[in-house]
Amino acid sequence: MDLIGNLGLGLSAALTPYNILFCFVGTLLGTLVGVLPGIGPTATIAMLLPITLSLSPETSLIMLAGIYYGAQYGGSTTAILINLPGESSSAVTALDGYQMARQGRAGPALAAAALSSFFAGTIATVVVAALAPPLTSIALKFGSPEYFGLMVLGLAASIVLARGSVLKTIAMVSMGLVFGLVGTDINTGAMRFTLGRPELADGLNFVAVAVGLFGIAEILRNLETTIERTSVISRVAGLWPSRADFRAMIGPACRGTLLGSALGVLPGGGAILASFASYALEKKISKTPERFGQGAIEGVAGPEAANNAGAQTSFIPMLTLGVPANPVMALMIGAMIIQGIVPGPQVATEQPVLFWGLIASMWIGNLLLVILNLPLIGLWVKLLTVPYTVLFPAILAFASIGVYSVNSNTFDLYVMAAFGVFGYALSKLDFEPAPMLLGFVLGPLLEEHLRRAMTISHGDVSVFFTRPISAGLLTVALIVLIVAFLPNIARRRKQVFVEED
């Protein structure tokens, strides 16, 4: 089946009234959490995972994907109106977007963000659709040694691209791998790391871990800080950009789309890197670089196109290889697993409606976001005045009910609470929890392919180095890790993310 046929199949699934409704719900929720600083798409998706159990697999993934790229849109609204990025990838947008708002040009800034994001999302959806089949065909030829090499490379790349100390990131990934080992050994039936608790025989509940690590920890972090939300305006008027604005936006939006599409597939935070890289590129090639930071519309259009394109293409490794590029994709894989779907390249052949329906829904979701964002700006402005002390009890109750509903098991609530405190402690000690979640998701798959490869080779370790693809993947992983320890690269990593803090 060709690309057009595949997209036709996807559109037939995504355009059912039921899926459109949940795509709308997802994009609306995503915009909401993007507008409200301090919640974020990772925590929101984690807390909504239990709800998806009552939905069909394609409907649940369409809704969760809508939350993810909806948050990219919503984050730009707060960045522009109150200089407080709702999402880390929108941090760059605040530099020029907020200045435009202070100059009375909030409308064109918001429109530039929405239209650039829609353009990038449309192109990136085509990129995902075009690249998915060939990558899937290649991945289907992989055996266990190749999958082992691929997972090792994914973990190595996430170490390089994570924030902060390399050693701390390696510690987090290792800890995630250990947490993934908790439960019953599938080969011997022996219990591992269960502390004698029968509730842990099937391993740690993914939903409880994710909600605790991101949702509860995020609430605790927000409660200790007072977030000032002072909008420079109470009403936005004159949304449509001028002809000169459009001319200035076109180039940055196109370049941002290309950068975002390329960087989005990188493990560890491609969308964030893309927005920073786009801003740096636009400033470097501009004839008037001194305008950047003073309200240049190019500084809004480029990064917004880049982060939205990056968010879309981050689905490529998840859909084709079953390897998450970031914590949100790890949660999406978790959503597939609790629906009984084994993530990996076989999803495209065994679940074509889900696979192509999810891809087609991205375009519909982006269209819905333009419709949502521009006319409802006034509503988003009013929402910024809601105090967090009103929000957090409802979020906490919602998260607890959701986690309990998965297995009707009180023990899962203790796990959620424990990981909530643990996640909060990690943030205080400057450890990133995201690499740990990647290790937790990939750990069981890594172990499965390692043991299967060793069984097939009768215990001969050379099987990983005599097969060209697995040897190549492991070599690249080693090079990536060596590069991460180079002093120049370590300094560069700090500079890339410094504006995010």
Side-chain angles (χ1 to χ4, degrees), residues 440-501:
F440 181 62
V441 170
L442 291 181
L445 298 171
L446 191 76
E447 182 196 11
E448 179 188 338
H449 289 296
L450 171 65
R451 295 175 78 161
R452 192 179 294 166
M454 293 300 287
T455 303
I456 293 170
S457 67
H458 304 289
D460 184 2
V461 182
S462 66
V463 68
F464 297 109
F465 307 103
T466 53
R467 296 167 69 117
I469 296 177
S470 63
L473 291 168
L474 289 172
T475 304
V476 175
L478 181 63
I479 294 170
V480 163
L481 280 177
I482 292 171
V483 167
F485 279 100
L486 293 177
N488 286 339
I489 299 296
R491 279 198 299 273
R492 195 69 190 163
R493 289 166 75 240
K494 289 179 183 175
Q495 289 171 9
V496 165
F497 292 106
V498 71
E499 291 183 78
E500 186 188 338
D501 298 326

Side-chain angles (χ1 to χ4, degrees), residues 265-282:
V265 296
L266 293 177
I272 302 172
L273 277 178
S275 60
F276 278 86
S278 172
Y279 189 83
L281 174 66
E282 294 307 322

Side-chain angles (χ1 to χ4, degrees), residues 233-450:
I233 47 172
S234 58
R235 184 170 170 272
V236 178
L239 274 174
W240 205 245
S242 66
R243 190 172 293 180
D245 287 335
F246 271 116
R247 279 200 297 272
M249 285 163 50
I250 291 173
C254 292
R255 288 186 288 271
T257 302
L258 289 174
L259 261 178
S261 298
L263 295 176
V265 296
L266 293 177
I272 302 172
L273 277 178
S275 60
F276 278 86
S278 172
Y279 189 83
L281 174 66
E282 294 307 322
K283 191 173 179 180
K284 196 172 186 67
I285 65 174
S286 173
K287 293 177 181 173
T288 54
E290 67 277 4
R291 288 174 49 248
F292 282 76
Q294 306 299 321
I297 199 167
E298 301 95 314
V300 175
E304 279 302 309
N307 74 37
N308 203 51
Q312 307 277 97
T313 55
S314 66
F315 282 83
I316 291 176
M318 191 274 283
L319 285 172
T320 57
L321 304 172
V323 177
N326 53 46
V328 171
M329 291 304 114
L331 292 169
M332 296 283 283
I333 285 183
M336 291 170 79
I337 291 172
I338 61 179
Q339 289 271 4
I341 298 171
V342 178
Q346 69 280 0
V347 173
T349 52
E350 294 176 4
Q351 304 273 349
V353 174
L354 178 147
F355 186 87
W356 290 104
L358 176 60
I359 291 175
S361 76
M362 293 179 190
W363 189 83
I364 297 167
N366 276 282
L367 183 62
L368 287 172
L369 283 166
V370 172
I371 298 170
L372 270 175
N373 268 261
L374 297 184
L376 297 181
I377 286 294
L379 175 65
W380 305 133
V381 171
K382 285 183 181 173
L383 276 174
L384 291 172
T385 61
V386 177
Y388 192 71
T389 49
V390 174
L391 287 175
F392 92 85
I395 296 172
L396 193 59
F398 180 72
S400 302
I401 293 168
V403 168
Y404 180 78
S405 66
V406 175
N407 293 322
S408 300
N409 188 347
T410 311
F411 185 77
D412 289 340
L413 292 176
Y414 295 129
V415 172
M416 179 190 77
F419 272 90
V421 174
F422 185 51
Y424 174 73
L426 289 178
S427 70
K428 301 302 288 183
L429 296 170
D430 205 22
F431 282 84
E432 273 285 299
M436 192 174 86
L437 188 69
L438 294 180
F440 181 62
V441 170
L442 291 181
L445 298 171
L446 191 76
E447 182 196 11
E448 179 188 338
H449 289 296
L450 171 65

